[in-house]
Amino acid sequence: MTRKGYDTDLNDAEWALLMVTALFSWERTGCQWRLLPTDFPHWTSVHSYFDQWTNDGTWRRINDAIRQQVRTQARRGPEPTAGGWSTVNV
């Protein structure tokens, strides 16, 4: 049975933002999953997304996009070249 939505329900973009914020909080504080603040989704949901996004490469794509944006804003090339390392080679 499909649940009828409420006007107050979050859309997919809002859920994604909330989940990313929860994951950044977890990563930044190094807390145990069960100790995530209660205003985030349940820790099992956050942990599940973390595993899924790690396995499917989402975290790597997010990191690559942020790194490229920061480097471009600093008027540097979007990819690092020191030591011959580049995400293109990975």
Side-chain angles (χ1 to χ4, degrees):
M1 174 188 263
T2 303
R3 174 179 88 73
K4 180 180 183 270
Y6 296 98
D7 291 340
T8 55
D9 285 354
L10 298 177
N11 62 37
D12 289 345
E14 292 166 332
W15 267 114
L17 179 60
L18 183 62
M19 196 64 65
V20 169
T21 303
L23 287 167
F24 285 159
S25 174
W26 170 79
E27 187 278 330
R28 183 68 176 240
T29 63
C31 72
Q32 296 176 351
W33 288 110
R34 292 177 180 174
L35 297 179
L36 280 175
T38 57
D39 50 337
F40 291 130
H42 194 270
W43 73 268
T44 55
S45 296
V46 177
H47 186 267
S48 177
Y49 273 92
F50 175 79
D51 286 345
Q52 177 183 337
W53 291 354
T54 298
N55 293 332
D56 72 10
T58 298
W59 277 124
R60 181 173 195 104
R61 288 190 301 277
I62 290 170
N63 184 65
D64 290 347
I66 292 170
R67 184 196 63 252
Q68 291 169 356
Q69 182 179 12
V70 168
R71 290 180 61 85
T72 300
Q73 288 174 348
R75 296 189 172 134
R76 300 173 72 186
E79 299 294 333
T81 57
W85 183 87
S86 171
T87 58
V88 175
N89 297 330
V90 177

